[in-house]
Amino acid sequence: MSSSSSEQCDVISLPEDQVFEMLTRVSLDDLAACRQVSTRWRRLTYEPAFAPLHCRRADAVSGYLVQTVARNRYHATFVSSMHPSPPPADLVSLDFLPSPHVRVEAVSPHRGLVCCVDADADADAATPRKPASSYYVCKPATRQWRALPNPRLRYRTAATAMLARPGGGGGGAADFKIVRFSVPTLRDCLRCEVFDSRGMAWRRSADVAVWPESLVEAAPAVRAHGAMHWLRWPDRLSGGAEDIFAFDVKTETWRLIGLPPEATTEKRWARKKVAAVEGKLCLVVVVDEEVEVWVLAGYRQERWVKKMTASLTRLAMEEGNSFILRDLYASDVAFFNSVYRVLCQYT
């Protein structure tokens, strides 16, 4: 056995509490690599006590950027997941951007990057001196921002995703890619453009043979298994079936993932949401006052396994029918929002 292999075995065989302590001190960039060392290391990084401790030691924040619309104005509010010690409300905000009114297009959670667009630009599009839109990428935690060139704005945006590369660029600059899908005129496909921070330019990628209206007003992209995912709504090309659109930003390839048969037949019209828990793609199905969580155990084989079923009766009694499922924060913690507040439901 080589010395490097021997050292690796010694590290893997450390007591669990020592491994846990060590993992809470690694950087955000190294955490993903540590999860690949062993199943035990991966499990420890998803323990409920891990994230709060790791965030404190890495000087990071964790939570949700909740975007709402009121009186034709967009508002982004940060909701910390580190209860009971959330960061100050102004620590994560977008008030430092040059435009006073922006709309969040995409977020890269790994490095806390946000892609925004000037929400007032469309109203001023008739002014020759002002571009139809202004794109920005920013890091709210450090209040840094950078203006980006515009993509082809003549086509309506269907969905946008952002992926930060580990380590960042030279000199500490953010290193990322943005993929934007838009709706071309009189064509049953999605137009794809990719922005790379290394070249600071948009370029055209291959069109995607997916009915464009199925992604309009889509929820934020969910990253899992190295790809971005969106739940597609029924459309005339797929015969009314629902599925998941997956796009690999690195290879710029795509595929459609079928949903569990129970979710497309018995519960076809139930509320559905895709999420990522412990690195795996999940489907959440809400029927009346019950929620089901399905896990894509075999990504390539599209093998779904029902992980759990939980009751929402108590939440419905407190909030009525006004609560909306937004995400799965953990395998047993769901994130909801109602009219006036955000909620965490533990199962």
Side-chain angles (χ1 to χ4, degrees):
M1 181 181 294
S2 65
S3 59
S4 60
S5 299
S6 178
E7 291 174 359
Q8 185 178 21
C9 290
D10 290 341
V11 173
I12 296 176
S13 62
L14 286 173
E16 196 159 279
D17 57 341
Q18 294 184 21
V19 176
F20 183 89
E21 179 69 18
M22 178 186 66
L23 290 174
T24 60
R25 298 180 182 276
V26 303
S27 67
L28 290 172
D29 290 335
D30 293 335
L31 185 58
C34 289
R35 284 174 172 158
Q36 304 299 319
V37 172
S38 68
T39 303
R40 185 174 69 135
W41 282 32
R42 180 183 179 86
R43 173 179 56 80
L44 288 174
T45 62
Y46 288 115
E47 290 287 336
F50 181 84
L53 183 57
H54 183 261
C55 284
R56 287 198 298 271
R57 290 177 171 175
D59 194 23
V61 294
S62 177
Y64 293 91
L65 194 62
V66 181
Q67 180 168 260
T68 57
V69 182
R71 298 180 180 179
N72 295 322
R73 302 286 296 182
Y74 289 90
H75 304 273
T77 304
F78 180 77
V79 180
S80 174
S81 59
M82 298 295 104
H83 183 79
S85 301
D90 60 349
L91 179 60
V92 182
S93 69
L94 303 177
D95 58 1
F96 58 92
L97 292 174
S99 172
H101 183 206
V102 296
R103 180 179 67 248
V104 175
E105 293 288 283
V107 175
S108 179
H110 174 64
R111 303 197 65 82
L113 300 179
V114 181
C115 175
C116 305
V117 63
D118 186 345
D120 291 328
D122 291 337
D124 299 328
T127 304
R129 295 182 180 179
K130 185 171 183 177
S133 184
S134 297
Y135 272 69
Y136 305 99
V137 64
C138 65
K139 189 170 185 176
T142 59
R143 303 179 71 84
Q144 296 171 293
W145 66 273
R146 187 175 189 178
L148 303 181
N150 293 331
R152 291 295 298 272
L153 297 172
R154 60 178 294 188
Y155 302 115
R156 177 166 48 97
T157 301
T160 307
M162 187 177 190
L163 175 65
R165 297 187 183 99
D175 191 6
F176 59 90
K177 292 178 74 173
I178 300 173
V179 57
R180 175 181 179 263
F181 298 102
S182 56
V183 183
T185 306
L186 302 177
R187 297 180 63 188
D188 285 334
C189 66
L190 286 170
R191 190 177 190 275
C192 181
E193 295 170 278
V194 178
F195 178 86
D196 195 324
S197 63
R198 295 176 180 175
M200 283 300 293
W202 292 89
R203 60 175 175 80
R204 179 79 178 274
S205 187
D207 290 345
V208 176
V210 170
W211 187 49
E213 300 299 332
S214 63
L215 287 185
V216 172
E217 303 298 334
V222 174
R223 185 185 181 191
H225 306 281
M228 299 295 183
H229 302 83
W230 292 267
L231 183 67
R232 292 203 322 142
W233 299 105
D235 62 69
R236 57 185 175 85
L237 293 185
S238 63
E242 292 183 355
D243 51 34
I244 296 173
F245 172 59
F247 186 85
D248 190 316
V249 180
K250 183 178 180 180
T251 62
E252 298 179 19
T253 56
W254 63 277
R255 61 184 289 219
L256 297 178
I257 301 174
L259 300 186
E262 296 86 343
T264 57
T265 54
E266 304 170 9
K267 301 178 177 66
R268 180 180 178 184
W269 303 112
R271 289 176 291 171
K272 301 181 182 69
K273 179 77 175 178
V274 288
V277 176
E278 299 183 4
K280 293 185 177 181
L281 190 66
C282 298
L283 174 70
V284 187
V285 182
V286 180
V287 182
D288 297 326
E289 297 178 3
E290 188 176 81
V291 58
E292 296 178 354
V293 178
W294 294 77
V295 178
L296 193 56
Y299 188 73
R300 292 299 175 188
Q301 301 80 17
E302 299 185 15
R303 180 171 58 87
W304 291 94
V305 175
K306 183 187 288 188
K307 185 177 181 65
M308 65 180 300
T309 301
S311 173
L312 299 176
T313 302
R314 182 177 176 181
L315 185 62
M317 292 176 60
E318 296 176 355
E319 302 294 331
N321 294 321
S322 62
F323 63 91
I324 301 174
L325 176 68
R326 294 301 184 187
D327 193 27
L328 285 182
Y329 176 70
S331 59
D332 58 349
V333 182
F335 179 76
F336 295 85
N337 77 277
S338 63
V339 178
Y340 299 109
R341 58 177 180 165
V342 295
L343 312 161
C344 280
Q345 175 77 8
Y346 296 83
T347 58

